[in-house]
Amino acid sequence: MLRIAASAVLILSGLLLFFIVFRKKLGWAWLSLFGTHLLLAAIGIYIVNFSGILTDIYVPLNPATIGAVTVLGLPGVLMLLGLKITLF
């Protein structure tokens, strides 16, 4: 029963998202912009990890860190570095 409810919510939310995207005439431009931000976030974290500037700090490339940098931009990389230094 739980699986059916979860599937129904997934299908309904997907249909609503599809409706909103094409009703507001957003098109696919937002997807390319999001993809660009995602790629730049991964590259930013990769550069910090393998540049050799901070040798004892490694920020893992996972969906949480890439998502944070995608939303926050380059200050997100600095936030992750600050969290890594202070917490670990």
Side-chain angles (χ1 to χ4, degrees):
M1 185 68 180
L2 184 62
R3 183 179 294 247
I4 294 171
S7 298
V9 168
L10 178 66
I11 290 170
L12 181 66
S13 63
L15 289 173
L16 288 173
L17 179 63
F18 186 75
F19 177 73
I20 289 170
V21 165
F22 288 107
R23 173 94 169 150
K24 301 266 187 195
K25 298 195 186 328
L26 294 175
W28 296 102
W30 67 273
L31 191 60
S32 65
L33 182 65
F34 178 73
T36 305
H37 281 246
L38 198 68
L39 182 66
L40 290 175
I43 290 172
I45 294 173
Y46 184 79
I47 288 172
V48 167
N49 284 338
F50 297 108
S51 66
I53 295 171
L54 301 170
T55 56
D56 56 341
I57 298 173
Y58 175 76
V59 178
L61 282 170
N62 58 34
T65 58
I66 292 175
V69 177
T70 299
V71 171
L72 298 174
L74 288 180
V77 175
L78 297 175
M79 178 202 67
L80 290 173
L81 288 173
L83 284 172
K84 190 73 171 188
I85 290 170
T86 57
L87 295 177
F88 302 107

